[in-house]
Amino acid sequence: MSGRTNLAPSRLRGGDLFRLGANGLRTRPLRAVLSAAGIAIGIAAMIAVIGISTSSQAHLDAELDKLGTNLLTIAPGQDPLTGEPVLLPETAVDTVARADGVDSVSATGEVKDIGAYRNARVDPHETNGLTVLAVDGNLVKTLRGTLARGGWLDRAPERYPTTVLGHRAAYRLGVTHAGEQVWIGDRYFTVLGVLDPVPLAQDLDSAVLVNSAAAERYLGFDGRPTMVYERSPDSLVESVRGLLPRAVDPENPQNVAVSRPSDALKARQAAEASFTGLLVGLGGVALLVGGIGVANTMVITVIERRREIGLRRALGAARRHITRQFLVEALLLSTLGGLGGAALGAAVTAGYALSQGWPTAIPLVAPVGGVASTMVIGAIAGLYPALRAARTPPTVALAAA
């Protein structure tokens, strides 16, 4: 009978493997936290950038749904020979209103050489960048605007010297409530209300609005619109868009410029999306730096634990067991960093969105993809130190300890 004994190969169960990996982190908590922080910062940066961008987009989409994407603006075009703006005819609003598919139409006209001031004693040169616009009573309905304070111009007869201020104009003039007076031209006008911001007609935010009849009577308005606003059913927007230039100026339709304000908002959103891509790239760089930190930590850990490696090898641990132990430790380290970063990024996104009054929108792919990428980076970062630990002969490890 042979004297050799057949020993079963050593085994390392999953639970024991996890405990070994976790124990390596518990024995050096400060180093583990600092290494995980590098991963967490990269993940938090990427998730916050994506989340804030998505929340901004959700807010804009909600605004467009509320304001509608069926608003068209008609502005003077340029003379092809001189390059000078071509004035719109006085009949523009009436002819547009008769076009097929038009639901509502309104216009504003700039009152030239007239400023608005807090009172008659203000230097006429201190205009505060405000413009005086003659408007009709249908403007708020067409733009779907709302009033922050007070009411619209229809609260008083058209011939009375009354005004409604854009929200920025009210701030610059120091008007806080309806009923106050501002100096326009050579007389005081009573403020009937203050508009909320109008995203699709931002020029109104810095404007002082006066009824067309009052503007002609007191301010010398010539009756020509400088901007016409038109709404159509969504399904007819493009067809109406093609009709408007000829409806405004049948003889020279090429002198009429028609645009859709919502397109400008979408273009701005696209530009912000490209900038978001740059910031996500920077977050990726931070994540890579965090991965290098994990690799550095694991290399140092292997060097410091050579005695432990030698003892385990001498007691029968196979190379694959040592490899798995340190690989699991690197994975745990990076996963903790990824989870912490995902939580931090979500918190930053929610806080910023709340401060801006936006809905919080974080695509599920962002945190899931972020944590998954940290696990991949952790596995790559821990592979070399794990293989190095496994290849260390027990005698060398014990002698070097």
Side-chain angles (χ1 to χ4, degrees), residues 21-22 25 47 68 129 160 163 176 220 235 245 270 276 302 329 338 369 384 387:
L25 301 183
I47 291 178
Y160 283 18
T163 181
T176 57
S235 59
T276 297
V302 168
E329 188 171 329
Y384 169 72
L387 292 174

Side-chain angles (χ1 to χ4, degrees), residues 12-339:
L12 185 61
R13 291 178 297 183
D16 294 332
L17 181 62
F18 180 82
R19 282 192 292 272
L20 282 171
N23 185 63
L25 301 183
R26 286 197 301 268
T27 55
R28 298 165 180 82
L30 181 59
R31 182 183 298 170
V33 168
L34 293 177
S35 298
I39 291 284
I41 290 172
I43 289 297
M46 288 196 294
I47 291 178
V49 168
I50 294 173
I52 290 172
S53 175
T54 306
S55 299
S56 173
Q57 181 178 346
H59 172 70
L60 177 58
D61 290 342
E63 285 293 311
L64 289 178
D65 288 341
K66 181 175 67 175
L67 297 172
T69 57
N70 59 343
L71 177 69
L72 297 176
T73 61
I74 305 163
Q78 291 184 334
D79 189 291
L81 298 178
T82 64
E84 295 293 326
V86 179
L87 298 178
L88 295 177
E90 295 182 30
T91 58
V93 173
D94 294 332
T95 55
V96 168
R98 290 195 294 267
D100 292 337
V102 173
D103 274 352
S104 63
V105 61
S106 185
T108 62
E110 184 175 353
V111 182
K112 304 291 184 180
D113 303 321
I114 297 293
Y117 309 93
R118 189 66 182 88
N119 54 59
R121 296 183 297 276
V122 177
D123 185 343
H125 295 94
E126 299 293 332
T127 62
N128 280 319
L130 304 180
T131 56
V132 178
L133 298 179
V135 303
D136 59 42
N138 206 33
L139 183 66
V140 169
K141 175 186 174 183
T142 302
L143 293 177
R144 297 181 185 172
T146 56
L147 286 128
R149 296 183 293 279
W152 182 237
L153 292 167
D154 54 8
R155 284 195 170 187
E158 290 187 357
R159 66 181 184 278
Y160 283 18
T162 56
T163 181
V164 168
L165 306 178
H167 86 285
R168 194 176 297 118
Y171 173 78
R172 293 176 183 173
L173 290 172
V175 174
T176 57
H177 60 271
E180 297 186 49
Q181 291 188 321
V182 293
W183 183 260
I184 306 174
D186 60 355
R187 69 185 61 240
Y188 281 103
F189 279 63
T190 301
V191 177
L192 296 180
V194 177
L195 285 173
D196 283 317
V198 187
L200 296 183
Q202 296 182 9
D203 56 317
L204 299 185
D205 295 344
S206 300
V208 176
L209 311 178
V210 179
N211 263 319
S212 295
E216 291 180 12
R217 180 174 183 177
Y218 300 113
L219 305 176
F221 176 53
D222 61 7
R224 285 183 176 271
T226 52
M227 184 72 72
V228 178
Y229 301 94
E230 180 274 338
R231 281 200 188 268
S232 305
D234 291 334
S235 59
L236 300 178
V237 169
E238 292 305 324
S239 61
V240 171
R241 192 174 188 175
L243 295 175
L244 290 179
R246 193 166 294 278
V248 173
D249 192 343
E251 296 183 359
N252 299 291
Q254 72 278 2
N255 293 339
V256 179
V258 181
S259 63
R260 182 154 48 176
S262 57
D263 290 343
L265 293 180
K266 288 291 186 182
R268 186 183 70 185
Q269 186 181 72
E272 291 175 349
S274 63
F275 185 65
T276 297
L278 174 62
L279 294 179
V280 169
L282 293 176
V285 172
L287 184 59
L288 179 60
V289 172
I292 294 173
V294 170
N296 181 59
T297 297
M298 295 308 301
V299 169
I300 295 173
T301 297
V302 168
I303 294 173
E304 291 180 345
R305 294 164 65 184
R306 284 177 297 183
R307 181 175 178 81
E308 174 192 335
I309 296 167
L311 285 173
R312 292 199 60 225
R313 288 296 308 280
L315 292 174
R319 285 186 175 182
R320 65 180 182 277
H321 299 152
I322 303 298
T323 302
R324 292 172 186 172
Q325 173 189 342
F326 284 94
L327 199 55
V328 166
E329 188 171 329
L331 282 170
L332 287 175
L333 184 61
S334 57
T335 301
L336 288 174
L339 292 173

